[in-house]
Structures are given as structure tokens and as C-alpha cells.
Amino acid sequence: MAGRSTVTARVLDVLGAFTAATPELSLTEISRRTGLPLTTTHRLVGELAAWGALERGEGGLYRVGLRLWEVGALAPRGLGLRERAMPYLEDLHEVTRENVQLAVLDGAEVVYVERLAARDAVSIRSRAGSRLPATATGVGLALLAHADPEHVEKVLAAPFRRFTERTLTEPDRVRHLLGEVRRTGVAISEQQIEMVSQSVGAPIRAGQGRVVAALSIVVPIEANPHAYVPAVLAAARGISRALGASALATQP
């Protein structure tokens, strides 16, 4: 990263140093992660903190600030989608008392726009704003099944990240599964992220039937995933209608 010379690139490197695993960092840690001199890091972090993109905690560690969250919330793909989807996500959450997620595709990953967590439900890694590989998630498989074939092949040509012994890492197996998703209208991802859970996902369509997002429910591995399919499909179709998709376009 040290070769990135523009101010904008350096600012992005500083912000990119924060991850879900390391949400708080010291100046020294930011400097090490970005490859920037400590004096440069101090100046950039100070300017970002003054604007509100970063905040300094009582222990002297920095974290992402609320101003950055406010700007991020204006992203068109997340804003209107989340507003229209929330009633259906809440209904699905209320009926099942399980974790419910809403996500969009970004390259080879899914970005979670919303997550409704249940107190006694199985634990999950995702949270609003986090990312996971598309091939390892119910929402990701639902999205890839309807993505441009060239994009899918590009995703499958890249190295796979393994989370468990059940994580799919063979392109042919993923292609076969994507075909099943297109046939049935639902994606079931078992033990790919956590051995204790599985997800049931379905695509969400907008005008002209274009798939723009996906939702999923995450349930314990002991549960019968097919029992949740009707509720997941109903919620996906409801959101699709709210986004302007025709009734015909929302059919599997």
C-alpha cells in the first residue's frame, strides 16, 4: 500500500485498515496496516476524526465514526431497498424467530444491507455492512444464479475462501448448485460458514424481473430447511412487488 501516492488513496487505505475483526486500531496499528509513515498516519487520522469519519475512544484507539455510517446509508442500492424490504423482513423474522438477512452482490462478495437477529437463534457472522463470499452463502448463491454468466465465471475462477470442511471450493459443484437454484427459485447453503447453521435464500427482483438483491433465513443445522422455503419465497416475492417487479417475474 505504501506505493499509493495520492491523498485520496492514502485516506482510503486508512479507512480500509478497519475490519469486522479489528474495529478498533491504534495509530501504530493503522500505520503498520497501511504502510504509511507514522507522521502521515497521524495527520490523516486527525483530519478524518475532525470530519467525523473516525472516532477516538477513551483508550486512545480509533474506530469508524458515525459520519461515515451516515454517508454510507445514502447508497442507492441499500437505501430504497432496505426501506421497502423492512416490513417483509420483520414479518419473516416474527413468524420464524430466526435470523433474517438482506444482501446485494458486489463482485465476488455479498454485502449485507440488513440483518434481524433473534435472541435465541443460532449465531451468525454477518452484520449490516459486512461482507462474505457469494459462493458460501444462501443470499450469494441466489444472486449468482441470476447474475451475468461472464461475471459468474470470473467469480468461480478466483481462489475460494474456506470457512468449514463443508465450504464449497470446486467450481463445478457451485455451477451445479446454481443450476438447482435457478430451477427451484431457492438456495440452500449448508454448513458453509458455520458448522452449526444453514441458510435458505431467495432472489429479489425489481422492474423487468431483474434480480437486485436476495434475502435469507439462517437456521440451525438440525432444522429442516425446506420447511422455511414457503415463507422465504413469500417474503422475497413481497419485496419484489414493492420494488416494482411483476407477479410473473417473481415466480421461480
Side-chain angles (χ1 to χ4, degrees):
M1 292 184 183
R4 290 158 65 91
S5 59
T6 69
V7 174
T8 301
R10 292 180 177 185
V11 167
L12 293 175
D13 283 343
V14 169
L15 296 176
F18 295 87
T19 68
T22 56
E24 294 187 325
L25 297 169
S26 67
L27 276 174
T28 301
E29 290 170 329
I30 297 172
S31 175
R32 177 175 54 81
R33 285 169 174 259
T34 59
L36 296 172
L38 189 59
T39 53
T40 302
T41 303
H42 183 273
R43 175 175 57 81
L44 293 175
V45 167
E47 293 175 357
L48 287 167
W51 184 77
L54 295 179
E55 296 175 349
R56 187 179 184 186
E58 294 181 0
L61 299 180
Y62 289 89
R63 56 178 178 260
V64 173
L66 289 177
R67 184 75 180 275
L68 200 60
W69 282 105
E70 291 171 354
V71 173
L74 298 176
R77 278 206 293 171
L79 184 60
L81 170 64
R82 182 183 178 278
E83 290 177 344
R84 290 171 173 80
M86 277 305 293
Y88 301 93
L89 298 178
E90 290 171 344
D91 286 348
L92 182 60
H93 177 65
E94 184 65 27
V95 168
T96 63
R97 304 309 303 169
E98 300 288 355
N99 297 303
V100 175
Q101 307 173 126
L102 176 69
V104 296
L105 186 65
D106 186 28
E109 300 175 314
V110 292
V111 178
Y112 289 91
V113 177
E114 184 57 82
R115 187 198 75 174
L116 300 181
R119 183 185 300 275
D120 299 323
V122 65
S123 63
I124 56 177
R125 293 196 184 195
S126 66
R127 59 179 177 79
S130 67
R131 294 170 175 263
L132 283 173
T135 56
T137 62
V139 285
L141 292 170
L143 288 161
L144 284 177
H146 301 281
D148 181 83
E150 290 186 6
H151 178 76
V152 174
E153 289 305 313
K154 183 177 180 181
V155 170
L156 297 183
F160 285 76
R161 179 182 173 189
R162 183 181 289 277
F163 293 87
T164 74
E165 62 188 42
R166 295 291 303 277
T167 303
L168 295 178
T169 57
E170 300 83 13
D172 284 343
R173 290 186 62 193
V174 177
R175 289 189 190 95
H176 175 75
L177 186 53
L178 295 180
E180 286 295 300
V181 175
R182 286 188 289 272
R183 183 179 66 83
T184 64
V186 65
I188 297 177
S189 178
E190 299 175 312
Q191 298 178 303
Q192 289 214 73
I193 300 295
E194 301 277 4
M195 289 298 290
V196 297
S197 64
Q198 57 189 326
S199 61
V200 181
I204 295 170
R205 303 175 185 270
Q208 291 80 51
R210 181 171 58 93
V211 172
V212 296
L215 68 81
S216 71
I217 183 171
V218 181
V219 301
I221 192 60
E222 310 86 49
N224 176 10
H226 299 284
Y228 295 92
V229 168
V232 169
L233 288 176
R237 289 167 181 162
I239 298 171
S240 297
R241 287 192 295 270
L243 292 173
S246 66
L248 180 62
T250 60
Q251 297 299 314

